[in-house]
Structure formats: C-alpha cells, structure tokens
Amino acid sequence: MGNTNENTELKIIEAARKVFILKGMDGARMQEIADEAGINKALLHYYFRSKTKLFDRVFLELFSEVVAVINAEVEKASTLEQLIESLVSNYIQLISEKPFVPDFVLHELNRNPEMIIEYIQHKGLDLNKVFRLFQDETLNHVTYPISPVHLIVDVLALCVFPFVAKPIIKGFMLEDDELKYKKFIAERVSHVTGFIKSTLFINPQQS
Amino acid sequence: MGNTNENTELKIIEAARKVFILKGMDGARMQEIADEAGINKALLHYYFRSKTKLFDRVFLELFSEVVAVINAEVEKASTLEQLIESLVSNYIQLISEKPFVPDFVLHELNRNPEMIIEYIQHKGLDLNKVFRLFQDETLNHVTYPISPVHLIVDVLALCVFPFVAKPIIKGFMLEDDELKYKKFIAERVSHVTGFIKSTLFINPQQS
DNA sequence: ATTTGTTTTAACTATATGGTTAAATCATGT
DNA sequence: ACATGATTTAACCATATAGTTAAAACAAAT
C-alpha cells in the first residue's frame, strides 16, 4: 500500500499556507491550492473535507509558530534588556522570512475573533515571567516603572507594523524604492532596540 | 424629476463602506451592500457599474481621509513636540471611532499594492515639513539626532497597532475583557506620547 | 497474483455571485 | 396631463466555486 500519504498531506498544507497567506480565506480558491500542491481537487477534499478545515489547520499552525517563538524568547531571557534585544532581533528576522504572515494573521483574526478563544485553551502567551522581570527590575531601579502590557504591545507594534504597512512606507516615504525599503527594515532591529532601551532603562547600556 | 439621486448615492457609499470595511473586498457581497443601503441590486449597479468601481471609490475616500488628517496635523504644528502630541492624540481618537479601518486599509493595500501608486499621483503625504522640523531641532539640540522616517513609522505603529491587533491584545493580555481593552486604549495617548518624548527630547517636558 | 489504500480522471451537483435586462411603478417638475 | 428620471420587480445569464461521486489506474505490501 502506498505510504506517500504523509508526503501528500505536507504538500497540501504547504500549498494551502502559501495561497491562504497571499489571498486570505475569502480570496483563496480550493482549485488554486490543489494546483499549487500539484494534485487535483478530488484528492484535496479526500485529505481535508472542507476549505474551513484546511484553513483552520493552516491558521493554527502559523499562529502557534508565532506564539512559540515569542514564548521561547521569554523563557530564555533572564533580564528585561536581554529579552527585548533577542525578541526584537529574532522576531524581525522571523517576519522578514515570511513578510505576509502578520497581515494574514491579523486580518483573519479580525474577521473571526472567536478563533483566538479556541486557541487560548490550546496554549497561550506566557506573560507571567515578563511581569516578574518587570517587577524585579523596577524594584532594583534598573527600569522606570511602566505598564508591562503597554510595553509588550509597543515592542510588537514596532516590530510588526513596518511589514504590515509596507505599501504605505515604501510608497509614501521611500519613493516606492524596494531597495530603500530593504535598507529601512535592516535598520529596524537596532533602531527599535535603541528606542525602547532609551525609554526603559535608567542607565541605557550600548550593546 | 426625482433629485433623490444624491441621497441614494450617499446611502450606497455609506453602506458599501460599512460592508467593505467589515468583510473586505473579497468577503463583501453586492447583495449585502444593496440590503444595507435599503435598495436592490439593480439600482446598485445602476449607480456603480461594478463591484470594483464601488470599492475603488470607497477605498479612495477612506484612504484620503486618513492621509488628510495626518497632513492637517503636520501643517498645524510648529514644533516636533507639538506635532507628536496632537498627532498621537487626534489619530488615536480618529481610529477609535472607526476601529476596523486600519486593518481594512492595510489588508487591501497588501492585496493590491498598485493602488497606492494611483493614489500618490492624486495626493501624497507631506513629509518635507517634518524633515525640516527635525533638522532645526536637532541643530538646536532640542532633539537627539534620529531618522525621521523611523520616527514617523514608530508613531504610526504605536497608534495603529493596538487596533489592528485587538483580538490578540484583548484575548491574550487582557483576559478577553472588553472593558480592560477600552481602558487600555484610553491609556494609550498618554503612554505613547510619553514613550516617544522620553526617547526624542533632550529635556523631556511634562505636559 | 491479490489486496489495500492512494491518486487521477472527469463528469456532475448545488449554490452563490456579479452583472444584465425589460417592463412596470413612482415621484416630481413642467 | 405629460415627460423625465429614479426605483422596484423579477426574471435571467454566465460563471465561479465548494464539494461529491464513481470508476479506473497505480503503487506497494502480502
């Protein structure tokens, strides 16, 4: 009996991921996914009974990856400064490789916010450690007292927005020049890190 | 002869705006727009020949409004600090009233980045004045030298992202509590203003 | 060689959707 | 009363789309 099935499932998932990310749930077509996977619609439905099931699978995998990266960084870090440095650097790096993922995830989440509730039971963000780091360092006068939630949102915003808003940034501020945009993104890691550290730390260290 | 036509056109535009913002171009249905406007499909196509034409009209109007608000703030301002304060405050205020506009605009722009080129010829962002303010104040040691483009992106990111990422912020960081999210947004103006000013100005003034 | 599960082929269904059409109705200004 | 343009009704068209089905072809394990 053929055991190529794991291969095929993978091919389908990869194709679906590509098409869904590019077109979104509403814009994606099952035929296009089948084509991209190099199979036919019948087989596609043989593996995944419906578009929704396939989408859910793809979305959950992508979203989990994003969350996992953040959680891994948080776990590794032993100081706030270290956390911010490695988070900013690795997160921007990650998104650079899949620049359309953030818009996809955010848009689909806005289209159907209930998806996040399903996910939370699955596995959520691990923020307690961040809160703890904050408390410690604030007490020791390493950081100014600041709302942890706001700071986390700030970090994510500064990292993610430049990718989601690429057309505006490139078109309006960088003469629609792809190279200038690339350069801009390359500068981002050090800019964001510096930006946040200068606000946060009482004696900002240069790294 | 009936001159209710201007009224009807308005009703259609408003309905289309609502549906497009909520569902996006791909998710929106002409029938739903007709229903929302309280008319029938035939009349809808009598006014706007195609979905694309209607979408373009709606999108351009929305996008223009966003740009116009920013440009107006830039024109009014005479110092960087003033600009940042009024921009952050008014921009967050504006988005609060139409919280789904940013995701809509960003997503449609990513779906079809060529739209921005069309728009640029129409009317673009007026950044020269920002650059000038920067230069002056950097020379006078009011602000640290910093890339203006990065700063503009920072301001937009810090203002816009909390709305685009509402499901994540609310679901993951605020116990999925709408009230806590509302409170979080209310805190944003002063948080963002303070955040940026502490990075930017050599002797940050309290306002 | 037979069995078993995979994959293709290709036709098909049901429905949704953007868009059209023609005739009828309605409101309003002349 | 008539003309004109707005609006409705309702049927219609063409196409796209998710999903199904049944039979055949294929590949590999027994």
Side-chain angles (χ1 to χ4, degrees):
Chain A
M1 48 186 134
N3 74 327
T4 28
N5 53 346
E6 288 135 36
N7 247 313
T8 306
E9 194 173 328
L10 251 179
K11 275 194 324 192
I12 292 176
I13 297 265
E14 271 165 39
R17 185 166 27 207
K18 186 169 171 182
V19 174
F20 277 134
I21 287 176
L22 230 61
K23 308 280 182 90
M25 169 66 170
D26 290 333
R29 299 289 162 241
M30 291 299 267
Q31 186 60 60
E32 197 183 343
I33 294 174
D35 292 348
E36 180 75 37
I39 60 167
N40 50 299
K41 242 188 0 174
L43 191 62
L44 183 58
H45 279 92
Y46 176 79
Y47 274 85
F48 295 89
R49 254 174 263 169
S50 71
K51 189 184 181 184
T52 309
K53 286 204 169 46
L54 182 54
F55 174 83
D56 287 349
R57 172 74 172 272
V58 166
F59 183 82
L60 212 83
E61 276 188 22
L62 270 173
F63 194 51
S64 302
E65 199 196 333
V66 173
V67 175
V69 167
I70 299 182
N71 276 335
E73 295 300 330
V74 171
E75 269 186 57
K76 261 192 277 174
S78 55
T79 68
L80 246 195
E81 189 182 8
Q82 204 184 93
L83 173 59
I84 286 163
E85 270 173 11
S86 74
L87 188 60
V88 168
S89 161
N90 291 328
Y91 208 52
I92 289 181
Q93 172 68 32
L94 178 77
I95 303 177
S96 294
E97 284 158 20
K98 303 174 178 183
F100 294 114
V101 169
D103 178 70
F104 169 69
V105 170
L106 294 173
H107 184 251
E108 297 301 335
L109 235 29
N110 276 306
R111 205 180 49 92
N112 183 12
E114 293 82 38
M115 285 195 297
I116 232 183
I117 295 163
E118 265 175 69
Y119 186 81
I120 286 177
Q121 286 137 1
H122 206 272
K123 193 186 182 185
L125 262 184
D126 186 15
L127 296 182
N128 288 327
K129 185 168 175 197
V130 181
F131 293 150
R132 238 181 298 125
L133 283 179
F134 250 101
Q135 229 175 359
D136 292 353
E137 301 197 5
T138 305
L139 287 177
N140 295 328
H141 303 283
V142 178
T143 62
Y144 294 105
I146 198 182
S147 154
V149 175
H150 279 285
L151 184 84
I152 294 167
V153 171
D154 294 343
V155 173
L156 293 181
L158 295 171
C159 292
V160 172
F161 187 79
F163 295 92
V164 182
K166 172 174 179 179
I168 292 179
I169 296 171
K170 187 177 150 193
F172 270 179
M173 311 180 191
L174 302 173
E175 289 116 50
D176 215 46
D177 181 334
E178 180 70 25
L179 277 178
K180 286 185 182 168
Y181 176 75
K182 280 229 163 82
K183 196 183 152 226
F184 171 80
I185 290 294
E187 295 162 356
R188 266 268 129 184
V189 173
S190 77
H191 171 79
V192 171
T193 312
F195 192 51
I196 293 174
K197 280 163 76 174
S198 79
T199 306
L200 199 57
F201 296 110
I202 286 166
N203 294 308
Q205 298 92 335
Q206 322 281 11
S207 63
Chain B
M1 48 188 133
N3 75 326
T4 28
N5 54 344
E6 288 136 34
N7 246 313
T8 306
E9 193 173 328
L10 250 178
K11 276 194 325 191
I12 292 176
I13 297 264
E14 272 165 38
R17 183 164 33 203
K18 186 168 170 182
V19 174
F20 277 133
I21 287 176
L22 231 61
K23 309 281 181 87
M25 169 66 169
D26 289 332
R29 299 289 160 245
M30 291 299 267
Q31 186 60 61
E32 197 183 342
I33 294 175
D35 292 346
E36 181 74 35
I39 58 166
N40 49 301
K41 242 185 5 170
L43 192 61
L44 183 57
H45 280 91
Y46 176 79
Y47 275 84
F48 295 90
R49 252 174 264 171
S50 70
K51 190 184 180 183
T52 310
K53 285 207 170 49
L54 181 54
F55 174 83
D56 286 349
R57 171 75 173 271
V58 166
F59 183 82
L60 212 82
E61 275 188 22
L62 271 173
F63 194 52
S64 302
E65 199 196 333
V66 172
V67 175
V69 168
I70 298 181
N71 276 336
E73 294 300 329
V74 171
E75 270 186 55
K76 261 192 275 173
S78 56
T79 69
L80 246 196
E81 189 183 7
Q82 204 183 94
L83 173 59
I84 286 164
E85 270 173 12
S86 74
L87 188 59
V88 169
S89 161
N90 291 327
Y91 208 51
I92 290 181
Q93 172 68 31
L94 178 77
I95 303 177
S96 294
E97 284 158 21
K98 304 175 178 183
F100 295 113
V101 170
D103 178 70
F104 169 69
V105 170
L106 293 173
H107 185 251
E108 297 301 336
L109 235 29
N110 275 306
R111 205 181 48 92
N112 183 11
E114 292 83 39
M115 284 194 298
I116 234 184
I117 295 163
E118 264 175 70
Y119 186 79
I120 286 176
Q121 287 138 359
H122 207 271
K123 192 186 181 187
L125 262 183
D126 185 16
L127 297 182
N128 288 327
K129 184 164 175 202
V130 180
F131 293 149
R132 239 181 297 125
L133 283 178
F134 250 101
Q135 229 174 0
D136 292 352
E137 302 197 5
T138 304
L139 287 178
N140 295 328
H141 303 284
V142 178
T143 62
Y144 294 105
I146 197 182
S147 153
V149 175
H150 278 285
L151 184 84
I152 294 168
V153 171
D154 294 343
V155 173
L156 293 181
L158 295 171
C159 291
V160 172
F161 188 78
F163 294 92
V164 182
K166 172 175 179 177
I168 292 178
I169 296 170
K170 186 177 150 194
F172 270 179
M173 310 180 191
L174 302 172
E175 288 114 49
D176 214 45
D177 181 335
E178 182 70 24
L179 278 177
K180 285 184 183 169
Y181 176 75
K182 280 230 162 82
K183 197 184 151 224
F184 171 80
I185 291 294
E187 295 162 357
R188 267 267 128 183
V189 173
S190 78
H191 170 79
V192 171
T193 312
F195 192 51
I196 294 174
K197 279 163 75 175
S198 79
T199 306
L200 199 57
F201 296 109
I202 285 165
N203 293 307
Q205 299 91 334
Q206 322 281 10
S207 64

